[in-house]
Amino acid sequence: MFSKKHYRMQVDFRDCGVACLAMILDYYGSDYSLAYLRTLSKTNLNGTTAYGLVKAGQELGLACQPLKLDLEQLQEAVVQNPALVHVIKEGKFPHYYVVYQVTDTAVFLADPDPQVGLVRRSHAEFLQEWTGVALFFEPGVDYQPRQRREATFWSLLALLSQMKGLFFLIVLVSLGLTLLTILSSYGLQWIVDGYLPQGRMEAISQLSLWLLVAALLQALLQFCKQYPLLLLSRRLSLKLLEDYLSHVFGLPLSFFATRRSGEILSRFTDANQIIEALASLSLTLLLDGLTLVSLSLTLAWQSPQLFLLALVLVPLYTLLFFAFQKKFKSYHQDQLEAGSQLSSSLMDHIKGMETLKALGLEDGALAQNKGYLESFWDKVCTYSCAEQLQSALKSALQLGTTVAIFWWGSRLILTGHLSLGQLLTFTSLLAYFTGPLENLLQIQVQVQKAQVAYQRLQEVYQVPLEEQGDRQSLTRDRGALRLDQVSFAYDYGSPLLKDLTLNIPPGQKLGILGLSGCGKTSLAKLLVGFYQPLEGQVLWAGQDLSCLHPQELRRQVQYVAQDAGLFQGTLRENLLWAAAAETAEADLWAALELVEAVAFVQLLPLGLDTLVGTDGTALSTGQIQRLVLARSLLTGASCLILDEATSHLDPETEERVFDRLLALDQTLIVITHRLELAQKLERIVVLADGCLKETGEKEAINLGQESSF
């Protein structure tokens, strides 16, 4: 029977389909990461198609039967196995549920949205969303349950073992602080019970002075404790974030094409929460645990009866913390997702501000971002309100306990079993007792946050790196590019490219023409190894691109996109970013001369040392295209793939730059819509409907005015 133990929540809203498939797989005894299922089902920025889920299930050994049903048929079908159903949530969002039971009055389903989880819906509510599509999965003949082996949040504790010196220093300082706290509290008892009744003002003044010195020493030790804690957090941050950055930079282009930038960057916030939890977990358990034991022994020795009364706080505090556990986890997940959605939307609109203004859509974009902002702060306020409520209840518990201790302590004083000084000392120490106790209980909240954040981080770590296994080095720096019966698609729809065979000898000047959307750019990205073909091979000098080191390949095969940009830094740094090792100053100017950029570079405030990029000097799109082209020429690559790389230049400048490129002893592959440029190339291929319709010498291809690309 499907139950809560099979539930998997989505990491973001595009994961609803794969999260439901993960539940089905868990029901059949397998555990797969959402990242792996995203890859199998070819999830993109629009989510996952039902056909993609079917193909992913089949890849993992499940047999699938997609059906169009009514509710009565669904009720009969889910008696045996749960169904993955397609719905339109809130009338506008395509979504998936797992339906595991249908009764005469209700539908029991698992919504991968963590805000919902396992719920009961009436027939009317369910039918209002359901499209009638249901996917039924069951183990195939060759199905083998598989359990995933991956690092857990707790495995990160191993990082702390590398910082034993810092730990020892923090523990030593903390023990000194605890000792000073206890001694200072006893100083108050000596004054009240000893010196004050005897009228020994001189002794009271001396002891008060010592207590003042102890307070200053406590402040100093507190600073000495916080500084190593800061160093510990820094080391943990560098380790975790550098590992994350290394993994992200090593991921294939398909990862970035199917995720928004804001979602990727939001994982940095996740990493910070993990670091906070690690530091708190280790130090709280160690330091607050030692403090709590020391204070407990002192309080019990001071007054066993009052200590037993104070212990009532422990179960009450524990009950209070765990009462809020589920709500905090849900609210925190909502806050993370809302923040990711807001940052992604803002990044998209700020980057596309020119387009927004050109279309007059500022108000619409502003309204959308206001909606996301309000949603984010609604989640923040909901979480904060829950925290404030918990904090108010804790304060009430503390106040109630203090009142009870004073009441019982007063009785003990009146019966001669306790002195006033002892009562004051006890209440003073009790204030230090509740702090470590609260910290120990607070661990569960921080660990919950960290576990949610770590799960989101793991979804990135589960994506395979671009360079996996043993890769070959290039046997030749100059070679032929060849497509051998290549088919390609971004998802499980119809192939974008079908059975392409094309040979590009070294030094050839080739043009690729075709209507927009016919697959020209996709073909270019296959040639540089950004994507792998569904069928067939892409070869460089006879070597399969999937077997080569990608960075080595791209040093020889340079892809220049239409919208390629400049990085933050000086113009010189940009040009030298990927330049060959022996590049000299004269080479920079030669490359700029070739692309006709010398004149405007010399007019820049600091020439080659002018800042460019996001915070640098504003350049036109045509100027940027020429600088990007110069940067690619400086790499020394033997093959250049220009994907509309000169489209923003004026026709006269473009023609002159193009003529110089044709004179180079390099393979040149040009994607363009300008027929006058295509006529300068020695060979042309025409793409249409995913196939090579025409290929040959330029004289054999009809490039008359009636042609339209």
Side-chain angles (χ1 to χ4, degrees):
M1 179 67 180
F2 187 92
S3 64
K4 188 176 181 179
K5 69 178 182 180
H6 304 302
Y7 180 76
R8 295 284 297 278
M9 69 177 182
Q10 64 193 39
V11 175
D12 61 54
F13 65 90
R14 296 177 190 84
D15 289 335
C16 61
V18 293
C20 286
L21 181 58
M23 293 186 221
I24 299 292
L25 286 161
D26 193 272
Y27 177 77
Y28 290 122
S30 290
D31 181 22
Y32 287 93
S33 72
L34 299 191
Y36 181 66
L37 295 177
R38 277 185 72 132
T39 302
L40 285 185
S41 60
K42 296 188 182 296
T43 299
N44 55 33
L45 290 173
N46 297 319
T48 312
T49 63
Y51 186 58
L53 294 173
V54 171
K55 295 293 289 184
Q58 290 173 345
E59 184 75 20
L60 299 173
L62 296 178
C64 179
Q65 187 177 16
L67 297 172
K68 184 83 171 177
L69 304 173
D70 58 29
L71 190 58
E72 185 178 345
Q73 292 169 321
L74 181 65
Q75 182 176 0
E76 294 175 1
V78 297
V79 170
Q80 295 181 338
N81 295 315
L84 197 160
V85 301
H86 182 255
V87 299
I88 304 298
K89 198 171 183 179
E90 299 176 12
K92 55 183 177 180
F93 301 114
H95 196 62
Y96 294 96
Y97 297 146
V98 172
V99 173
Y100 57 90
Q101 186 181 2
V102 180
T103 66
D104 292 337
T105 58
V107 177
F108 294 85
L109 58 87
D111 186 338
D113 184 345
Q115 300 179 59
V116 182
L118 273 65
V119 293
R120 177 185 182 274
R121 294 275 172 81
S122 68
H123 285 185
E125 289 173 330
F126 178 71
L127 288 173
Q128 190 175 4
E129 296 182 329
W130 187 34
T131 61
V133 175
L135 306 180
F136 290 89
F137 293 90
E138 59 182 20
V141 177
D142 300 324
Y143 176 74
Q144 292 291 332
R146 174 187 175 275
Q147 292 298 313
R148 163 175 45 149
R149 291 184 180 180
E150 66 173 30
T152 65
F153 167 73
W154 303 105
S155 66
L156 294 176
L157 292 176
L159 292 175
L160 301 173
S161 64
Q162 304 171 14
M163 306 170 190
K164 296 175 183 176
L166 274 176
F167 259 93
F168 178 75
L169 179 60
I170 294 169
V171 169
L172 195 63
V173 172
S174 297
L175 287 175
L177 268 173
T178 303
L179 183 61
L180 272 176
T181 299
I182 294 172
L183 291 176
S184 298
S185 297
Y186 273 100
L188 180 63
Q189 180 181 335
W190 295 332
I191 290 175
V192 173
D193 289 345
Y195 301 149
L196 194 59
Q198 298 172 11
R200 298 174 59 184
M201 194 60 210
E202 184 180 350
I204 292 174
S205 299
Q206 290 177 352
L207 186 56
S208 297
L209 183 61
W210 279 110
L211 288 176
L212 181 60
V213 171
L216 293 173
L217 189 57
Q218 276 182 288
L220 179 61
L221 287 176
Q222 188 65 35
F223 171 77
C224 294
K225 175 184 172 183
Q226 291 302 320
Y227 184 68
L229 281 173
L230 181 63
L231 290 179
L232 179 65
S233 295
R234 178 182 178 274
R235 291 186 186 179
L236 287 172
S237 296
L238 289 176
K239 173 63 179 172
L240 201 59
L241 293 176
E242 285 176 359
D243 286 351
Y244 175 70
L245 274 177
S246 297
H247 188 82
V248 168
F249 275 67
L251 291 173
L253 188 63
S254 57
F255 171 82
F256 302 95
T258 58
R259 288 166 176 84
R260 300 172 78 180
S261 301
E263 292 175 10
I264 300 170
L265 294 176
S266 69
R267 266 57 176 186
F268 281 97
T269 305
D270 298 342
N272 288 331
Q273 291 178 344
I274 294 169
I275 292 160
E276 288 175 10
L278 275 176
S280 298
L281 180 65
S282 55
L283 295 173
T284 297
L285 286 176
L286 184 63
L287 303 183
D288 289 324
L290 286 172
T291 302
L292 199 61
V293 170
S294 302
L295 289 173
S296 296
L297 293 172
T298 305
L299 288 171
W301 180 74
Q302 186 78 359
S303 174
Q305 292 186 48
L306 292 182
F307 178 64
L308 289 174
L309 184 59
L311 285 181
V312 175
L313 267 179
V314 176
L316 292 177
Y317 255 59
T318 304
L319 181 64
L320 181 60
F321 271 89
F322 281 100
F324 283 81
Q325 181 178 17
K326 186 175 180 181
K327 287 186 179 296
F328 279 149
K329 185 175 182 180
S330 174
Y331 293 159
H332 183 60
Q333 175 69 23
D334 296 347
Q335 187 177 322
L336 285 177
E337 291 188 0
S340 175
Q341 191 176 41
L342 173 63
S343 60
S344 294
S345 177
L346 285 172
M347 285 184 65
D348 289 347
H349 288 149
I350 289 172
K351 286 174 66 177
M353 187 57 70
E354 182 178 346
T355 304
L356 286 176
K357 288 186 175 295
L359 295 172
L361 295 176
E362 300 101 308
D363 292 342
L366 179 61
Q368 185 183 69
N369 284 298
K370 280 183 176 179
Y372 287 143
L373 184 62
E374 289 174 5
S375 175
F376 172 70
W377 277 106
D378 284 345
K379 303 295 188 299
V380 171
C381 289
T382 301
Y383 189 85
S384 296
C385 284
E387 282 189 319
Q388 292 301 320
L389 177 59
Q390 188 189 53
S391 178
L393 292 173
K394 285 189 298 183
S395 298
L397 279 177
Q398 289 176 355
L399 182 60
T401 304
T402 302
V403 170
I405 286 173
F406 264 105
W407 175 76
W408 190 254
S410 299
R411 291 193 59 175
L412 292 176
I413 290 173
L414 293 175
T415 57
H417 293 90
L418 193 73
S419 68
L420 177 59
Q422 286 178 308
L423 178 59
L424 293 176
T425 300
F426 188 93
T427 53
S428 175
L429 288 173
L430 186 62
Y432 292 106
F433 176 82
T434 54
L437 174 62
E438 187 175 334
N439 289 339
L440 286 169
L441 293 173
Q442 188 69 28
I443 286 178
Q444 59 91 18
V445 176
Q446 291 178 313
V447 169
Q448 277 180 357
K449 289 182 180 181
Q451 285 177 322
V452 171
Y454 191 69
Q455 183 180 356
R456 285 165 51 86
L457 207 61
Q458 277 299 303
E459 291 302 323
V460 177
Y461 276 115
Q462 288 298 311
V463 179
L465 294 173
E466 182 176 34
E467 188 167 342
Q468 292 281 330
D470 294 330
R471 294 295 186 106
Q472 303 170 7
S473 295
L474 273 65
T475 55
R476 295 171 61 186
D477 290 342
R478 187 177 174 89
L481 273 170
R482 177 174 174 79
L483 288 90
D484 189 3
Q485 297 181 316
V486 166
S487 295
F488 174 74
Y490 289 103
D491 53 34
Y492 283 110
S494 299
L496 182 61
L497 301 174
K498 308 168 190 174
D499 196 29
L500 298 187
T501 296
L502 178 65
N503 189 60
I504 308 170
Q508 188 173 74
K509 308 300 188 278
L510 172 73
I512 301 176
L513 304 181
L515 297 174
S516 296
C518 70
K520 303 185 299 296
T521 295
S522 299
L523 174 57
K525 290 180 179 179
L526 285 174
L527 291 173
V528 79
F530 284 160
Y531 294 95
Q532 298 302 317
L534 293 178
E535 299 175 357
Q537 290 179 303
V538 184
L539 306 168
W540 165 264
Q543 293 178 282
D544 193 324
L545 264 56
S546 63
C547 299
L548 297 175
H549 291 289
Q551 290 188 359
E552 283 190 30
L553 171 69
R554 290 162 199 159
R555 279 196 287 267
Q556 295 303 323
V557 184
Q558 273 282 305
Y559 173 72
V560 186
Q562 180 181 17
D563 56 354
L566 299 174
F567 300 109
Q568 185 67 32
T570 67
L571 178 53
R572 185 190 306 276
E573 290 169 343
N574 269 271
L575 292 174
L576 292 172
W577 189 270
E582 64 279 5
T583 302
E585 180 85 4
D587 297 319
L588 299 184
W589 290 105
L592 293 172
E593 176 70 31
L594 192 149
V595 298
E596 296 202 0
V598 170
F600 76 79
V601 168
Q602 289 177 336
L603 291 175
L604 292 175
L606 297 175
L608 287 175
D609 296 312
T610 301
L611 281 175
V612 293
T614 307
D615 299 325
T617 301
L619 299 171
S620 71
T621 52
Q623 289 173 327
I624 291 173
Q625 276 198 329
R626 279 181 276 176
L627 293 173
V628 167
L629 190 53
R631 181 175 63 195
S632 296
L633 291 169
L634 288 166
T635 63
S638 60
C639 176
L640 289 178
I641 302 175
L642 307 183
D643 187 355
E644 298 284 355
T646 57
S647 59
H648 294 301
L649 274 61
D650 62 87
E652 293 79 10
T653 303
E654 182 181 30
E655 187 171 350
R656 291 195 299 271
V657 170
F658 204 73
D659 288 340
R660 293 191 185 100
L661 291 173
L662 290 173
L664 297 175
D665 184 26
Q666 291 171 295
T667 304
L668 191 63
I669 302 171
V670 180
I671 296 172
T672 182
H673 288 92
R674 299 188 183 180
L675 301 183
E676 60 272 19
L677 293 182
Q679 289 173 331
K680 295 175 176 289
L681 299 164
E682 61 185 273
R683 185 182 173 205
I684 293 168
V685 297
V686 179
L687 268 178
D689 300 323
C691 301
L692 291 177
K693 293 297 185 183
E694 297 183 75
T695 178
E697 303 299 321
K698 63 179 181 181
E699 291 80 5
I701 303 295
N702 179 15
L703 293 179
Q705 294 301 318
E706 68 277 6
S707 298
S708 177
F709 300 115

